[in-house]
Amino acid sequence: MKRFEYLEARTVRQAISMLQRHGENACIVAGSTDFLVRWRAGVWNPDHVINIQRVAGLSRITYSGRNGLRIGALATIRAIEQHAAVRRYYPALAVAAASFAGVQVRNLATVGGNICNASPSGDMIPALLVFGSECKIVGADGERAVALDKFFTGPGQTVLQHGELLTEVRVPVPARNTGSHYIKHSPRGAMDIATVGVASLVSLDGRNGPCAEACIALGAVAPTPIRAYSAEDSLRGQALTQDLLIAAANLARDGVRPIDDIRGSAEHRKEIVGVLTRRTLEQAFNAATSGPLTFNEQRRLTVQAAF
Amino acid sequence: MKKQLQITVNGELRQALVEPYYSLLDTLRDEMQLTGTKKGCDEGDCGACTVLLNGKPVCSCLVLAHAAHDAEVITIEGVANGQELHPVQKAFVEHGGLQCGYCTPGIILSTVGFLESGEEPSEENIKHALGGNLCRCTGYTKVIESVLVAVKATNQESEE
């Protein structure tokens, strides 16, 4: 544990200039739920910690039928879980938030932190990926937008340059007749990291029509959260059947190369990918045809603890 | 370098001079002598250190003390009304919601935060609200029963 200096930024501009002033060994924190654990473990050793929690206006969550969902980087996971429009239009995201750690952590942890820490198992990421989310990044020279599926470059690694800040996540309005779901498999039902997390989204061309869009995102099975492209391709344009969903789930399973670690062996993870992909696709498809479940109903299908 | 901070703890404005890396938990326990809040894992797994920060349950081991500057914190020492236990405390005492007691301050604060959140106090929601609190003695059955009793007591109180 190395001592650090503590700074607070009140504006995005101030945070960026602090980052520039203090160089590569400065670290941004918000909820600090990841930071304090890793600092105590000696994994992160910054000289300067820049807390952006008090930057005004970055914790807003807004929804409109035209602009979709805009989540400020400082919005807490709890606020996302409880947001009425998130529950209504982005069920996979609402239940992913509900599966995240416990209430005491969700009240602190922010969506920006979950994304920027770029853990392969970050719970919010697969759900944000299937909705086609985009990151708004602000730097000294202006702002840029990066699709979330281009944001991660490795475990803990992102496209953020030093001196840049993620300020907002933009999630497009889902098409009509869309269903989505997230399932997290972990040893414990709360305060745990996913062994595997899978989000799926299915949009139909008309209530009983063919599949217009399918998105599947997998957490904790690769150096970054990934999309299961070949499984998605196998569904687009098809009249969906149980057999097709199973075949897609098998494609997702066969396409991953996970690692062995304390939470599960590679072989185990592969099997779980198949099972969770099938289950999330089934729920997404059901919701696309028959309408969404209530939040509580869907939450019951979300955390699948091993014990 | 140590810096001064101020936090309203259990309704009282408290000041402390603490290092930048100090957690809210260590500040409460070591600088303010409020040792009712327990340190279990110190990494956000066990919930023993749960306090209310601006009305919401948080793991105080994961909060930088200086990030809580100017905030309002409620710890277990501030839950009772003088000598009279809070309905949640009463329910836990009377219905065997605790054994060794180490996890209890955190569970009480999670419960108080949940009851004040306005969420429907169903058994299912209670279990989700307390999922982040580990108890190695009770097996949770008596914990959940105690919370359900507290829900009833709170409802009766508000009807009277």
Side-chain angles (χ1 to χ4, degrees):
Chain A
M1 291 186 280
K2 197 175 82 176
R3 289 170 175 237
F4 54 80
E5 283 305 309
Y6 176 81
L7 306 160
E8 280 189 4
R10 300 288 170 140
T11 63
V12 171
R13 188 180 291 265
Q14 199 181 13
I16 290 167
S17 73
M18 283 173 173
L19 275 174
Q20 288 175 320
R21 185 159 359 115
H22 296 294
E24 297 277 339
N25 218 4
C27 168
I28 294 281
V29 305
S32 77
T33 55
D34 272 327
F35 169 74
L36 270 173
V37 173
R38 304 220 188 156
W39 176 76
R40 284 185 194 126
V43 181
W44 287 349
N45 299 296
D47 295 320
H48 293 85
V49 167
I50 302 165
N51 188 349
I52 57 168
Q53 213 170 19
R54 293 181 213 258
V55 171
L58 284 195
S59 57
R60 242 175 263 144
I61 304 174
T62 59
Y63 176 80
S64 76
R66 204 167 52 165
N67 295 327
L69 186 67
R70 302 211 160 168
I71 313 175
L74 294 179
T76 64
I77 308 302
R78 184 73 169 155
I80 294 169
E81 174 193 355
Q82 294 182 317
H83 197 275
V86 176
R87 288 187 178 190
R88 179 153 178 207
Y89 302 110
Y90 306 89
L93 189 57
V95 293
S99 79
F100 187 111
V103 174
Q104 303 100 309
V105 173
R106 298 206 283 280
N107 277 328
L108 296 166
T110 64
V111 69
N114 195 235
I115 293 172
C116 292
N117 289 336
S119 164
S121 60
D123 277 312
M124 302 305 284
I125 299 166
L128 286 169
L129 280 172
V130 296
F131 288 107
S133 303
E134 187 182 80
C135 299
K136 181 180 161 190
I137 298 169
V138 178
D141 305 323
E143 60 177 76
R144 62 187 177 120
V146 174
L148 186 63
D149 60 5
K150 302 277 183 302
F151 188 82
F152 306 104
T153 54
Q157 305 292 314
T158 72
V159 299
L160 281 181
Q161 301 290 308
H162 188 75
E164 283 188 325
L165 215 58
L166 169 69
T167 57
E168 188 177 71
V169 186
R170 295 174 173 172
V171 198
V173 181
R176 276 168 177 273
N177 307 308
T178 291
S180 66
H181 190 42
Y182 176 71
I183 300 181
K184 169 179 183 170
H185 179 85
S186 59
R188 187 180 158 199
M191 297 295 203
D192 210 344
I193 291 166
T195 307
V196 174
V198 179
S200 290
L201 171 145
V202 171
S203 299
L204 301 179
D205 199 355
R207 205 154 242 223
N208 298 303
C211 172
E213 179 60 286
C215 274
I216 302 163
L218 315 173
V221 292
T224 69
I226 53 168
R227 294 262 300 272
Y229 291 111
S230 60
E232 295 174 359
D233 290 343
S234 75
L235 297 174
R236 279 190 207 103
Q238 306 290 319
L240 297 184
T241 61
Q242 180 68 13
D243 285 348
L244 276 177
L245 299 184
I246 292 171
N250 290 343
L251 279 174
R253 177 196 64 200
D254 296 342
V256 293
R257 301 277 172 275
I259 56 165
D260 295 313
D261 73 8
I262 191 168
R263 287 192 170 70
S265 66
E267 199 186 359
H268 174 68
R269 281 198 160 94
K270 259 178 110 75
E271 286 305 316
I272 298 290
V273 165
V275 174
L276 299 193
T277 303
R278 176 177 56 77
R279 289 183 188 165
T280 52
L281 281 172
E282 284 168 355
Q283 167 52 29
F285 178 48
N286 284 343
T289 43
S290 344
L293 298 175
T294 67
F295 172 75
N296 276 351
E297 287 169 337
Q298 194 158 345
R299 186 176 62 176
R300 277 177 218 137
L301 306 176
T302 293
V303 181
Q304 304 197 338
F307 300 109
Chain B
M1 197 181 65
K2 285 186 182 182
K3 277 186 196 162
Q4 188 83 14
L5 59 77
Q6 59 178 39
I7 307 175
T8 302
V9 183
N10 302 326
E12 192 187 328
L13 188 66
R14 303 281 299 255
Q15 297 191 324
L17 191 64
V18 305
E19 295 283 0
Y21 52 83
Y22 248 54
S23 66
L24 175 60
L25 172 63
D26 288 337
T27 304
L28 291 168
R29 288 181 56 84
D30 300 345
E31 303 299 319
M32 300 178 178
Q33 283 71 51
L34 293 169
T35 53
T37 306
K38 301 305 181 200
K39 184 184 277 195
C41 64
D42 214 21
E43 54 181 15
D45 284 328
C46 75
C49 66
T50 303
V51 301
L52 300 187
L53 177 65
N54 296 325
K56 293 175 179 167
V58 299
C59 290
S60 60
C61 73
L62 298 181
V63 177
L64 283 163
H66 286 281
H69 177 68
D70 280 339
E72 286 193 25
V73 171
I74 303 287
T75 69
I76 191 66
E77 289 89 347
V79 170
N81 182 8
Q83 288 301 303
E84 194 187 341
L85 292 181
H86 187 282
V88 173
Q89 292 174 303
K90 236 184 257 175
F92 273 71
V93 170
E94 288 169 7
H95 295 271
L98 62 138
Q99 289 181 24
C100 89
Y102 197 84
C103 68
T104 311
I107 292 186
I108 299 286
L109 268 302
S110 282
T111 305
V112 171
F114 170 71
L115 294 180
E116 288 174 1
S117 74
E119 251 187 286
E120 186 208 337
S122 63
E123 186 168 335
E124 185 181 5
N125 283 341
I126 291 167
K127 286 180 177 169
H128 276 275
L130 296 185
N133 290 85
L134 287 181
C135 170
R136 303 287 82 169
C137 305
T138 62
Y140 304 104
T141 304
K142 292 286 177 186
V143 171
I144 305 298
E145 279 176 22
S146 302
V147 178
L148 287 166
V149 168
V151 168
K152 248 191 198 158
T154 315
N155 286 347
Q156 276 167 359
E157 221 169 73
S158 57
E159 276 168 22
E160 276 163 15

